[in-house]
Amino acid sequence: GIQVEQSPPDLILQEGANSTLRCNFSDSVNNLQWFHQNPWGQLINLFYIPSGTKQNGRLSATTVATERYSLLYISSSQTTDSGVYFCAVVPNDYKLSFGAGTTVTVRA
Amino acid sequence: NAGVTQTPKFRILKIGQSMTLQCAQDMNHNYMYWYRQDPGMGLKLIYYSVGAGITDKGEVPNGYNVSRSTTEDFPLRLELAAPSQTSVYFCASSAGSLGEQYFGPGTRLTVT
C-alpha cells in the first residue's frame, strides 16, 4: 500500500513562532487532507487539498502532487495550536491512508 | 446539522463480551467508514460502506462486523472482545469516494 511519511515527528514551538510540517507520499493520490487532533482527541478538518495552495487564517497548505508532497504552514503559533497534525491521502484504491502524525507543542 | 455522531463516548468491556458502536450522519453522505486509532499512531481503516446494503473490508477488519441498512447509520459490531481491540474508534462519512471525510468524536474502548 501507499506509504505516508510525516516530518518532523515532534515539534516544540514558542508562542508566536512559525513552522512548517511536511507530508511525503509514495504514490500518486486523488485526494489529500490535513487534520488537527486536539488534546481531547477530536479530529478537526483543516484542509482538503489534492493540489495547489489554500489558506485559512494563520494556517496554509500547499500540495505538489507531481512531486508527491504536501506542506502545512502554521504562522504566529498559539497554545491552542498544540496537538497532533495528520496528513491523510486517497490513492487509487480510494481508501484514506494516514501518516503517523506530527505532535506540536506550543509553549506560552 | 449535527454532522457525524457516535455513541457511546467511553466503554469498558470484559474479554469475550460483545458490543455495538453506533454511528450516524445527517449529511446524506453515501460513503461511511470505521477507523481505529491505537496510542501514538495514525488511523487505520476497519470497514467502509459506499451506500445502504454495501460494505467492504478495510486494512484491519478481523474481529469486527458491520451493516448498513440505511444511509444515515453504520454500526460496528465487536464479537468476542479481545485486549487487542482496546483503541479509540472513529466513524467518518463523505459524499463520494474522493470527497472530504468528516469524523465523529470517537469512542474510547478498553477491553480488560
Side-chain angles (χ1 to χ4, degrees):
Chain A
I2 193 168
Q3 303 300 313
V4 183
E5 295 182 355
Q6 292 187 241
S7 59
D10 299 281
L11 190 59
I12 299 175
L13 300 170
Q14 204 63 33
E15 200 169 28
N18 303 328
S19 62
T20 301
L21 283 59
R22 187 176 181 99
C23 172
N24 291 335
F25 39 95
S26 61
D27 204 348
S28 58
V29 299
N30 299 296
N31 174 13
L32 187 145
Q33 289 186 243
W34 282 98
F35 298 89
H36 175 215
Q37 187 166 39
N38 64 23
W40 297 270
Q42 185 182 8
L43 276 167
I44 300 163
N45 288 35
L46 296 178
F47 295 102
Y48 170 76
I49 185 167
S51 64
T53 297
K54 291 187 177 180
Q55 179 151 9
N56 185 358
R58 295 179 297 100
L59 301 180
S60 64
T62 294
T63 296
V64 184
T66 53
E67 297 186 22
R68 300 181 184 171
Y69 73 90
S70 183
L71 302 173
L72 178 70
Y73 305 95
I74 305 174
S75 65
S76 303
S77 57
Q78 301 177 358
T79 55
T80 52
D81 295 331
S82 295
V84 183
Y85 289 80
F86 287 105
C87 166
V89 301
V90 177
N92 289 333
D93 64 1
Y94 300 106
K95 297 172 187 173
L96 197 64
S97 293
F98 281 75
T102 292
T103 301
V104 173
T105 303
V106 182
R107 293 182 172 162
Chain B
N1 189 336
V4 180
T5 57
Q6 293 183 236
T7 56
K9 287 185 169 56
F10 305 94
R11 184 71 186 268
I12 298 174
L13 283 181
K14 294 189 186 304
I15 295 171
Q17 288 185 321
S18 301
M19 77 164 294
T20 299
L21 281 66
Q22 301 292 343
C23 173
Q25 53 91 10
D26 61 0
M27 296 175 281
N28 201 33
H29 285 169
N30 285 324
Y31 286 69
M32 295 187 74
Y33 314 82
W34 275 106
Y35 297 87
R36 60 177 286 171
Q37 183 181 27
D38 297 327
M41 307 287 285
L43 281 67
K44 293 185 178 179
L45 182 65
I46 305 172
Y47 269 96
Y48 66 101
S49 169
V50 302
I54 307 171
T55 62
D56 205 350
K57 296 177 181 179
E59 183 182 357
V60 289
N62 292 342
Y64 307 96
N65 279 300
V66 293
S67 58
R68 183 96 180 271
S69 57
T70 66
T71 299
E72 293 78 18
D73 300 298
F74 189 39
L76 178 72
R77 178 82 177 162
L78 279 73
E79 306 281 2
L80 298 175
S84 60
Q85 293 178 305
T86 293
S87 191
V88 180
Y89 292 83
F90 288 96
C91 179
S93 72
S94 65
S97 61
L98 300 182
E100 186 173 3
Q101 291 195 22
Y102 296 89
F103 284 77
T107 294
R108 187 174 297 273
L109 176 68
T110 302
V111 182
T112 62

